[in-house]
Amino acid sequence: MAGGPDARDCRSIGDEAPGRRDLSWEPVIGLEVHVQMRTERKLFCGNRVVFGDEPNSHVCPVCLGLPGALPTTNPEAVELGIRTALALDCTVHLTSVWERKNYFYPDLPKGYQITQFEMPLATDGVVIYDGPEGEAMVRIRRAHMEEDAGKSIHDRIPRGTAVDLNRAGTPLVEIVTEPDLRSPADARAFLTTLKQILEYVDVSDCNMEEGSLRVDANVSLRPAGASELGAKTEIKNVNSFSGVERALEIEITRQVEVLDHSGTVDQETLLWDDHKGQLRSMRSKEDSHDYRYFPDPDLPPLVLTSGLVESAREDLPELPRSRRERFITDYGLSLYDAGVLTQTVASADYFEAVVKASTEPKSAANWVMGPVQALMNERREDSATFQVDAQALAELIELVADGTVSDTAAKKVLAAVAADGGSLRSVIEELGLAQVRDDSQLEEWIRAVIETHPDEVSRYREGEKRLLGFLVGEVMRCSSGTADPRLVNTILMKELI
Ligand code: ADP
Ligand code: MG
């Protein structure tokens, strides 16, 4: 353990107050995130990247590693790699080098993985995110490109392991953070933002169930306030954010236990079992020299023009944080509302299209975040499939504003169009939801209510003014909700004088 118990709220190892123990250890966490690029083809050959197809149906001599087969770099993957690096505010290097990382594993037929080591695609980035204690920042040490391995499948053949090489050669970007995270919740908050950024720049489908985003979490403890790092363990291959958080909590608890009993944390690699919620030791930590990295003799260095990098920079869409800021300044939204609406590009685009068509940002925000979101959740849809497009929603908001339909009726219309399509006007007509504003009809309902509620009417006239609401409600009931409540109010007040 490094550092020494020299800091403020730190005690010496091995003494004390059991209840307060873990307060004296500060967790330090750094993440390595593997992101599968959304390319059509693999990184070094022409096979398609497909999830869930017949095993070993997308393989060729290159990704199988047959002798003499030569790789060529897929420019589409490189472009997505550059985009990823720029979105993380990294410096993209015009020359990076493909290297071989040598190890044996059944799902790696070549005996080495093509990756980048000494000279990665990009370094020195930064991600700003909302941490558990407010705005926080993580430095990105590097972002490099590499190929994925195949998959070992343990539940297909009894007492045997099957190997599917469809995934072998899929382009990945590995994002390595500095050890800047301080708790499992902090790590999760960062990952949530990272995923959001990757989705915004559209480099990956970020589908965690399919393994498009996989996290290795490194964690160590040090006496709170110390500046040196303690010995770390690495938790491999976690493919859910809740898994990362749980695994880190368990591992931190274990390390506290070890250090509290004056033990030392062994550098090791741990494997997370999501079903059992357990960590098990996989191997003692290997060092990079164990992999015998060397530049791949079959691949020239990856050389980019500054023009390519600059045009990728120009093509970068507005990122979530600045879009959120802009929603606050341009549309007068609260931080919370702006945050909800910019959670995905799709919802932000939908909201902005509604605003552009209706010009009333606050009610557009309320409708999109409220009834529209509720319906989308219920129907398992997003704005791409939702049948009420931005134009129609804007029109509906106008119809509520000018009193053509009530708020309640508008929600019914929204649900009906979301379910069966059709135009707003025809649905309003069909369901008889247009508000009645015809004076003689309104007066008829009002007189009926006055006649049937003599008691309330006289109490109102004697000064019990709050009964107005009740009487308006009765009129609304009489009209099956179709009366324009504002007009009912006005007319009723006159009649009751
Ligand atoms: P390794 O050589 O074991 O792969 P690196 O120094 O390359 O270790 O770092 C890998 C990851 O582990 C990075 O995300 C880094 O931030 C994190 N890391 C490094 N040292 C520590 C530590 N002492 N505690 C927690 N995380 C660490
Ligand atoms: Mg590592």
Side-chain angles (χ1 to χ4, degrees):
M1 196 214 54
D6 55 352
R8 291 153 303 172
D9 74 315
C10 172
R11 57 183 178 70
S12 52
I13 300 165
D15 65 28
E16 71 218 85
R20 294 193 53 242
R21 287 189 165 175
D22 49 354
L23 287 181
S24 348
W25 300 109
E26 178 186 50
V28 173
I29 299 165
L31 303 177
E32 294 161 276
V33 184
H34 294 87
V35 186
Q36 189 177 314
M37 295 291 103
R38 178 192 48 71
T39 52
E40 197 188 336
R41 301 193 183 274
K42 294 187 179 181
L43 185 49
F44 298 112
C45 63
N47 284 288
R48 288 182 43 231
V49 174
V50 203
F51 181 86
D53 267 12
E54 186 60 24
N56 301 310
S57 59
H58 301 283
V59 292
C60 74
V62 174
C63 54
L64 285 177
L66 301 188
L70 288 174
T72 46
T73 308
N74 172 0
E76 187 197 3
V78 173
E79 271 172 42
L80 292 183
I82 296 171
R83 225 173 139 75
T84 306
L86 293 173
L88 305 177
D89 219 6
C90 287
T91 303
V92 174
H93 302 294
L94 296 183
T95 301
S96 55
V97 172
W98 300 114
E99 302 206 32
R100 291 185 179 181
K101 177 182 183 177
N102 299 281
Y103 65 94
F104 170 79
Y105 207 73
D107 62 19
L108 188 76
K110 287 205 296 285
Y112 61 87
Q113 175 195 27
I114 305 175
T115 180
Q116 299 186 314
F117 184 61
E118 291 284 351
M119 295 179 70
L121 175 70
T123 54
D124 303 307
V126 64
V127 170
I128 298 170
Y129 66 103
D130 297 316
E133 276 143 42
E135 185 168 283
M137 193 183 95
V138 161
R139 291 165 299 156
I140 303 297
R141 182 183 291 177
R142 55 189 276 148
H144 67 254
M145 300 200 67
E146 62 187 24
E147 59 175 349
D148 209 345
K151 239 189 262 183
S152 299
I153 300 165
H154 305 289
D155 57 6
R156 195 175 169 111
I157 302 169
R159 287 190 302 282
T161 291
V163 176
D164 175 11
L165 295 171
N166 282 349
R167 198 179 69 180
T170 297
L172 303 178
V173 168
E174 178 174 340
I175 298 161
V176 182
T177 77
E178 292 293 345
D180 289 345
L181 297 155
R182 292 292 174 267
S183 69
D186 195 21
R188 185 178 187 159
F190 161 73
L191 285 169
T192 306
T193 295
L194 178 67
K195 178 164 180 265
Q196 188 190 30
I197 292 172
L198 298 170
E199 282 168 346
Y200 258 69
V201 298
D202 197 21
V203 292
S204 171
D205 64 20
C206 294
N207 186 330
M208 305 211 41
E209 283 93 62
E210 295 182 2
S212 303
L213 214 155
R214 308 192 295 269
V215 182
D216 298 345
N218 300 269
V219 57
S220 64
L221 297 181
R222 64 181 171 190
S227 55
E228 270 177 76
L229 297 174
K232 74 175 165 78
T233 56
E234 179 175 7
I235 304 166
K236 276 272 181 211
N237 250 323
V238 193
N239 63 356
S240 75
F241 292 170
S242 59
V244 173
E245 199 176 3
R246 279 199 299 153
L248 281 169
E249 269 158 14
I250 290 170
E251 176 57 8
I252 288 169
T253 307
R254 186 191 72 86
Q255 288 188 14
V256 167
E257 193 66 17
V258 170
L259 295 176
D260 272 348
H261 291 89
S262 311
T264 49
V265 170
D266 295 329
Q267 300 246 19
E268 63 181 333
T269 302
L270 305 166
L271 207 62
W272 172 242
D273 183 329
D274 205 59
H275 285 295
K276 294 200 185 125
Q278 282 174 355
L279 285 164
R280 66 189 151 85
S281 180
M282 190 162 102
R283 56 173 184 247
S284 64
K285 171 73 188 154
E286 71 291 342
D287 278 319
S288 64
H289 62 247
D290 295 330
Y291 289 118
R292 297 292 190 271
Y293 282 97
F294 66 90
D296 192 310
D298 289 339
L299 283 161
L302 178 61
V303 178
L304 311 172
T305 62
S306 53
L308 180 70
V309 177
E310 286 324 305
S311 77
R313 200 190 300 280
E314 275 157 33
D315 287 349
L316 221 54
E318 191 178 19
L319 294 176
R321 231 179 154 72
S322 53
R323 198 158 192 190
R324 184 173 81 178
E325 282 307 306
R326 190 168 60 74
F327 277 19
I328 294 170
T329 45
D330 285 7
Y331 305 127
L333 301 183
S334 67
L335 177 66
Y336 176 82
D337 288 3
V340 172
L341 289 166
T342 53
Q343 213 132 53
T344 66
V345 182
S347 71
D349 285 348
Y350 185 76
F351 164 75
E352 284 212 282
V354 176
V355 173
K356 293 218 166 83
S358 79
T359 73
E360 224 295 278
K362 191 59 201 162
S363 50
N366 290 339
W367 275 88
V368 173
M369 289 166 51
V372 169
Q373 194 54 54
L375 272 169
M376 283 181 184
N377 293 349
E378 188 184 310
R379 307 179 53 78
R380 293 171 197 282
E381 290 193 275
D382 57 28
S383 51
T385 55
F386 196 59
Q387 298 219 55
V388 184
D389 63 18
Q391 201 67 39
L393 182 64
E395 193 185 335
L396 189 61
I397 295 171
E398 292 296 319
L399 293 175
V400 175
D402 72 13
T404 307
V405 291
S406 70
D407 208 58
T408 322
K411 284 174 189 149
K412 287 185 193 154
V413 175
L414 186 72
V417 179
D420 306 316
S423 81
L424 295 177
R425 303 266 174 191
S426 61
V427 171
I428 292 170
E429 193 111 327
E430 254 167 58
L431 301 179
L433 288 173
Q435 292 204 84
V436 175
R437 295 142 97 194
D438 166 46
D439 281 1
S440 58
Q441 175 62 74
L442 293 176
E443 273 161 21
E444 197 177 299
W445 286 324
I446 288 170
R447 272 196 291 274
V449 168
I450 291 178
E451 264 166 42
T452 50
H453 295 80
D455 182 40
E456 283 83 359
V457 168
S458 60
R459 278 160 56 207
Y460 174 84
R461 287 186 170 135
E462 279 155 24
E464 220 179 303
K465 296 295 175 208
R466 62 178 183 84
L467 282 171
L468 184 68
F470 166 78
L471 293 166
V472 171
E474 287 302 299
V475 177
M476 293 305 295
R477 222 154 59 118
C478 234
S479 75
S480 316
T482 58
D484 179 336
R486 274 173 299 186
L487 285 177
V488 171
N489 231 295
T490 325
I491 300 172
L492 191 60
M493 276 199 329
K494 274 195 233 145
E495 299 275 333
L496 287 175
I497 287 169

